[in-house]
């Protein structure tokens, strides 16, 4: 069982809404990877946050020495903040790393190009997209996702109510109800630690 | 190659830099953005991290 699968199983035992700090603490317990989260005044038209794992052997970040940093935009809506935070935390499980300037530039440029998802996508770009799905799997246990899907398809609730219960941005509700959401579980073991 | 992106790569991977093992991004609301603008935004945030001028997230 991979570390992510252990986190996934843990999240299945939780109730909505699942605290981002509960997820963070479980990740730290499972991986032994200390994570610190800071907020910064990003221009959210450009960037909502990032994940940064480094040796920082020169101690350039005095307050974050030896820790993986998640930096989030200040003043995001709380549901956006939760999603971005948990998505960035999912990169602890990455197997495709930007550990050279060439790989970073590849990802950087791929992110700026709008194109349809293809099987030829860079594995680095895939890891960005996958992290969103992993975050949603942690924030919404499968039993709750199935129950919400039934109510949503029966038009008993709308996307806003789903988003309010799971506490995610409404724009990400369609991900939860994508026909292949459950299929993601089958590929997780091959693409995460 | 833009100046800000070169600066950013040097800060992340260059000699005396951060020794980055993995960095991933969550882009913002604009779909068409300039690479130099994005690199500048990250460079600014690194400066604030260096200076200890970021804040703790509200628990």
């Amino acid at each position: 069982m991979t570390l992510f699968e252990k986190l996934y199983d843990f999240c299945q035992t939780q109730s909505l809404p699942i605290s981002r700090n509960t997820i963070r603490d479980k990740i730290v317990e499972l991986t032994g990877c200390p994570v610190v989260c800071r907020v910064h005044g990003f221009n959210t038209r450009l960037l909502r946050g990032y994940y940064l794992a480094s040796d920082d052997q020169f101690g350039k970040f005095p307050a974050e020495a030896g820790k993986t940093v998640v930096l989030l935009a200040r003043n995001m809506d709380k549901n956006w903040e939760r999603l971005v935070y948990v998505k960035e935390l999912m990169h602890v499980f990455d197997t495709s790393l930007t550990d050279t300037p060439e790989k970073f530039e590849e990802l950087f440029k791929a992110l700026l190009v709008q194109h349809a998802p293809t099987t030829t996508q860079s594995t680095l770009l895939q890891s960005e997209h996958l992290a969103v799905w992993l975050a949603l799997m942690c924030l919404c246990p499968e039993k709750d996702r199935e129950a919400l899907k039934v109510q949503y398809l029966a038009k008993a609730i709308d996307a806003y109510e789903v988003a309010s219960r799971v506490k995610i941005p409404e724009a990400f509700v369609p991900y939860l109800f994508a026909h292949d959401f459950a299929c993601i579980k089958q590929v997780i073991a091959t693409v995460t630690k | 190659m833009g100046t800000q992106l070169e600066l950013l790569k040097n800060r992340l991977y260059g000699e005396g830099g951060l020794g980055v093992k993995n960095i991933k991004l969550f882009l913002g609301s604009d779909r068409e953005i300039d690479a130099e603008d994005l690199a500048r935004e990250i460079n600014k945030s690194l400066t604030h991290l260096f200076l200890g001028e970021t804040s703790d997230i509200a628990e």
Side-chain angles (χ1 to χ4, degrees):
Chain A
M1 182 178 274
T2 65
L3 292 173
F4 177 77
E5 288 172 312
K6 290 179 181 176
L7 175 67
Y8 175 81
D9 285 352
F10 168 77
C11 290
Q12 302 313 301
T13 68
Q14 303 298 302
S15 303
L16 289 179
I18 304 179
S19 156
R20 63 190 183 189
N21 290 341
T22 298
I23 296 172
R24 176 202 61 198
D25 292 347
K26 190 65 181 178
I27 289 173
V28 172
E29 177 192 319
L30 286 169
T31 65
C33 171
V35 178
V36 62
C37 185
R38 298 276 188 260
V39 292
H40 168 72
F42 285 127
N43 176 352
T44 54
R45 288 174 49 245
L46 297 171
L47 190 63
R48 289 191 172 98
Y50 62 72
Y51 168 93
L52 180 66
S54 77
D55 291 332
D56 192 14
Q57 57 184 313
F58 300 99
K60 290 182 180 295
F61 297 163
E64 295 84 8
K67 296 179 180 174
T68 290
V69 177
V70 172
L71 192 60
L72 302 177
R74 185 178 290 126
N75 299 329
M76 274 192 291
D77 166 276
K78 283 294 174 192
N79 289 353
W80 266 104
E81 184 184 275
R82 275 166 55 81
L83 181 75
V84 177
Y85 188 10
V86 176
K87 178 270 183 185
E88 296 308 330
L89 286 173
M90 293 300 111
H91 291 299
V92 168
F93 305 106
D94 276 357
T95 54
S96 290
L97 308 178
T98 46
D99 52 0
T100 68
E102 292 77 19
K103 289 180 184 173
F104 173 69
E105 190 166 336
E106 175 192 331
L107 173 67
F108 193 86
K109 292 187 171 174
L111 280 169
L112 297 179
V113 177
Q114 297 303 305
H115 51 66
T118 68
T119 54
T120 57
Q121 255 180 12
S122 130
T123 55
L124 294 168
L125 187 57
Q126 286 174 4
S127 77
E128 291 281 20
H129 293 158
L130 179 68
V132 174
W133 292 87
L134 299 183
L136 291 169
M137 292 170 75
C138 291
L139 289 165
C140 187
E142 188 64 12
K143 65 180 186 308
D144 295 300
R145 191 184 74 85
E146 289 289 352
L148 289 168
K149 187 175 182 179
V150 168
Q151 295 178 69
Y152 179 76
L153 293 178
K155 300 193 180 344
I157 57 175
D158 59 9
Y160 179 79
E161 183 161 349
V162 174
S164 300
R165 291 196 198 180
V166 184
K167 296 202 179 298
I168 59 173
E170 191 176 343
F172 287 85
V173 169
Y175 284 64
L176 284 180
F177 301 148
H179 74 279
D180 53 355
F181 189 94
C183 300
I184 296 281
K185 278 190 288 184
Q186 296 165 15
V187 302
I188 286 171
T190 64
V191 291
T192 58
K193 284 195 233 174
Chain B
M1 187 61 61
T3 307
Q4 288 289 328
L5 183 53
E6 281 303 302
L7 172 65
L8 176 57
K9 287 196 297 180
N10 197 42
R11 285 174 127 172
L12 298 176
Y13 303 98
E15 191 174 340
L18 285 168
V20 165
K21 293 183 288 188
N22 197 17
I23 177 170
K24 296 292 166 62
L25 313 173
F26 199 125
L27 296 189
S29 54
D30 281 7
R31 291 297 84 189
E32 292 188 13
I33 59 176
D34 182 77
E36 278 293 281
D37 289 341
L38 180 57
R40 183 180 296 106
E41 196 69 12
I42 300 171
N43 276 321
K44 282 164 60 178
S45 71
L46 291 175
T47 295
H48 287 283
L49 276 170
F50 293 150
L51 297 175
E53 293 178 347
T54 59
S55 318
D56 285 329
I57 190 171
E59 291 292 325

